[in-house]
């Protein structure tokens, strides 16, 4: 197993304002800003040589991310760990009594992902990710 | 400027318990667990090819990290971005009206670091870090 840090995602009210800090002032390299309708968010992708920083802004009022922002305010939303075999990881999580959210899903690029409830991962919402073929 | 994601630090009550999840179950590679008396914490270092995940546990009751844990519970403590020139970054932060905490400090390895107040960085406590010579 060679688990890696893939990205962290920070939820913000206004992605353009946040980019002034993270990209213009601090120098994280902005690759693109995309709307991701499946998750009801706009995402600024800032890949670095050592993992990606994402800013996410809800584009509806009723998504999970929108509710997170309304309840907790701006800040870290989740940390994504890239694993070799997500099904194997999920089995190990289950064996350890840890709680995942829903089932493993596959995005349009063929990547697989699932989230782990923060109460099972010491207060951090974790995404597990397996890159598609 | 080529800013990079250096590490994220997650504050926990019991580093051994948290390692069962992050290292044993999820497969992050544990390099070492060290006490860092200057910060009054024990740290588990899990470097990956794409940035490091650290678990931190307070070893006194009155440190900043201990107070953070008592107030907010377990979860992300800070995100560390590695910059080319920390003094230049701090000047740019000041010019943009952002608030840093204290002065740039130097650790025993000669690395320089400073923290940015979460209210200036959209809810995330940021560490800026410049690797020593």
């Amino acid at each position: 197993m060679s688990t890696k840090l893939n990205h962290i995602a920070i939820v913000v009210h206004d992605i353009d304002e946040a980019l002034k800090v993270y990209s213009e002032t601090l120098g994280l390299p902005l690759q693109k800003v995309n709307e991701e309708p499946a998750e009801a968010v706009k995402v600024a992708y800032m890949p670095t040589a050592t993992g990606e920083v994402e800013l996410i802004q809800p584009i509806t009022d009723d998504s999970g991310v929108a509710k997170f922002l309304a309840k907790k305010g701006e800040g870290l939303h989740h940390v994504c760990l890239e694993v070799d075999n997500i099904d194997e990881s999920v089995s190990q999580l289950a064996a350890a009594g840890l709680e995942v959210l829903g089932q493993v899903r596959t995005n349009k690029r063929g990547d697989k992902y699932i989230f782990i409830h923060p109460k099972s991962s010491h207060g951090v919402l974790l995404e597990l990710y397996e890159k598609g073929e």
Side-chain angles (χ1 to χ4, degrees), chain A:
Chain A
M1 226 174 2
S2 61
T3 303
K4 290 186 289 192
L5 182 59
N6 183 274
H7 68 262
I8 65 166
I10 298 165
V11 60
V12 299
H13 287 292
D14 181 330
I15 229 166
D16 295 322
E17 283 300 315
L19 281 172
K20 287 182 190 167
V21 176
Y22 282 89
S23 182
E24 289 175 33
T25 305
L26 293 175
L28 283 168
L30 178 62
Q31 182 186 57
K32 61 184 175 183
V33 178
N34 269 8
E35 291 214 352
E36 305 287 354
E39 308 290 339
V41 290
K42 191 156 72 167
V43 183
Y45 295 93
M46 297 181 285
T48 82
T50 49
E52 181 168 74
V53 177
E54 296 180 0
L55 302 174
I56 59 178
Q57 176 190 329
I59 53 178
T60 67
D61 290 336
D62 57 354
S63 68
V65 175
K67 288 173 188 164
F68 183 105
L69 179 60
K71 185 174 172 192
K72 302 196 176 184
E74 295 187 321
L76 184 84
H77 182 262
H78 69 267
V79 171
C80 176
L81 300 179
E82 183 176 344
V83 295
D84 289 337
N85 183 323
I86 199 167
D87 296 320
E88 191 181 295
S89 292
V90 169
S91 297
Q92 289 172 341
L93 289 165
L98 303 180
E99 185 181 337
V100 295
L101 298 166
Q103 305 293 318
V104 174
R105 285 181 285 173
T106 304
N107 67 17
K108 57 194 173 195
R109 290 186 302 278
D111 307 322
K112 295 178 177 180
Y113 63 102
I114 193 168
F115 285 87
I116 301 174
H117 195 293
K119 75 182 177 192
S120 283
S121 41
H122 296 266
V124 176
L125 177 63
L126 287 183
E127 179 183 2
L128 294 189
Y129 165 87
E130 179 189 330
K131 199 171 165 54
E133 299 299 317

